[in-house]
Every structure is written in structure tokens, then in C-alpha cells.
Amino acid sequence: KQEVTQIPAALSVPEGENLVLNCSFTDSAIYNLQWFRQDPGKGLTSLLLIQSSQREQTSGRLNASLDKSSGRSTLYIAASQPGDSATYLCAVRRSGNYGQNFVFGPGTRLSVLP
Amino acid sequence: DAGVIQSPRHEVTEMGQEVTLRCKPISGHNSLFWYRQTMMRGLELLIYFNNNVPIDDSGMPEDRFSAKMPNASFSTLKIQPSEPRDSAVYFCASSFRAGPTTNEKLFFGSGTQLSVL
């Protein structure tokens, strides 16, 4: 059974710092991996999707990497801003079959202090 | 598009009462998911529909939970009778799954905060 963990559970940094969020999964046979952002009282918003054949994806100040063999993904946030404060979740999908869906990690709660 | 729309946003009920949560997916999406989020267990998939047909309901915790999707634009999640341990945030999400190799993104609604007293 696929298990997804995220470290740290919470992180507090001053504005302007670069930071890395970690995601680990136990079964390396994944189809793709997504990073989501969740603001308090809101649903999840997809940030980046990495296919199993890719090693990284970039969107603005965000860069996500994937190392399938080690069962790890990282989300790098450059020049953090207070508006980046949210909970970040990663989710892995085991295969492309219709019946296979995402398994979510518990999330990392990020606070960027002005 | 208005995104995935869920109602109500908040629901407070007493133990034993029936609760119905509603979801309108994004137009054109063919897959719909119901998730439950709690501090203890995180985000859990309850049930997944594809083209209005339930594909995987292995996450539905008990027979007290049921879900329907009568058409492509509406789904309900019903809890009868409700219990305090059902208190959680319930999310609906939708996507367009084009085939076996789809790399689709999930779009989430804002959730329903359910409190069972």
C-alpha cells in the first residue's frame, strides 16, 4: 500500500528566504506526482504535476523535482513571500488506469513572516 | 467557469440526523471525487465516479455513507445516520480523465465543514 509522508510538518521562515519542502513515498512505481496548495478554509489548488518520466517541473518561483528510485520529491520555493503561507500537500498516482487515484501526504504548513 | 461548487459550506447537525452534501463539478469534467479531511487522518478518498459511474468506493467508511451521481453535473454524499466521528471537512473534486494515460489535474471545491454534535 502506497504511503506518502511529508517533512517537516510545519515550517516558519522570514520573508525572502529560499526553502525546500519534502515528500516521500514508499512505492516507487508511480505514474505522476502533484503538488497542491491549501489555504485555510479553502480547497486544494494544483501547483505542479510531474510525470514519472520527468525529473522536474517549474512554474514561476516554484520548482518541483522527482527522484522515483529513492521515492522522493521536493518543492523548492524561491524568494518566499508572506502570500506563500499555506499548507502544501503532495500526492502520488500509482498508474494511469481509471481505477488508480491519488494518495495524499499529510502536508507541510508553511508560514512566511514579513 | 465557476469551478467546483459545493453546498452547504458549513453544516451543524445532531447525532442521528441525515446529512446531504452536494457538489457541482466543472462542466466538461468526467471524473468526480469525494474526499474527507481530518487532522488525524489527512485527506482520504471516499469514492470516485467516472462518467457518472462509481468506479472505486473502497474508501466509504460504512454503510451509513452513500453517494450518487445522477448526471454529469451533480453529485451527492449522504450520511444517515450521522455520528460525531463523521465531523470533518468534505471535499468534492473533479477532473477530465481522457484515457489510461491521462495526466490530469484535480480541481477542488471549497469544501463542506461538517460538525455532528
Side-chain angles (χ1 to χ4, degrees), chain B residues 32-99:
Chain B
L32 184 139
F33 308 80
W34 282 101
Y35 287 91
R36 177 172 67 177
Q37 187 176 42
T38 61
M39 288 292 293
M40 289 297 295
R41 300 174 68 89
L43 199 62
E44 302 173 283
L45 177 65
L46 300 177
I47 188 169
Y48 152 54
F49 292 88
N50 184 259
N51 293 323
N52 312 338
V53 176
I55 302 298
D56 180 6
D57 65 354
S58 60
M60 296 286 265
E62 301 171 31
D63 291 344
R64 299 184 296 106
F65 286 70
S66 63
K68 294 182 179 180
M69 192 164 185
N71 57 61
S73 60
F74 184 66
S75 176
T76 60
L77 178 68
K78 185 177 293 186
I79 308 173
Q80 167 64 20
S82 58
E83 297 183 3
R85 60 195 168 112
D86 301 331
S87 298
V89 181
Y90 290 81
F91 287 105
C92 176
S94 71
S95 70
F96 180 69
R97 191 162 281 189

Side-chain angles (χ1 to χ4, degrees), chain A residues 35-112:
Chain A
W35 281 94
F36 292 83
R37 168 185 174 140
Q38 185 176 23
D39 292 287
K42 300 288 182 63
L44 283 69
T45 300
S46 179
L47 297 173
L48 291 164
L49 182 151
I50 309 177
Q51 300 179 39
S52 61
S53 58
Q54 297 175 322
R55 293 194 66 85
E56 65 178 80
Q57 279 286 332
T58 298
S59 176
R61 294 182 295 107
L62 305 180
N63 176 276
S65 67
L66 175 63
D67 184 344
K68 276 181 53 179
S69 61
S70 66
R72 293 181 181 178
S73 176
T74 61
L75 180 66
Y76 175 83
I77 303 177
S80 58
Q81 303 170 358
D84 296 329
S85 298
T87 297
Y88 291 82
L89 297 91
C90 66
V92 298
R93 186 175 171 200
R94 190 171 190 281
S95 80
N97 290 338
Y98 279 115
Q100 290 292 332
N101 294 298
F102 289 98
V103 177
F104 282 82
T108 293
R109 188 172 67 254
L110 173 65
S111 296
V112 181

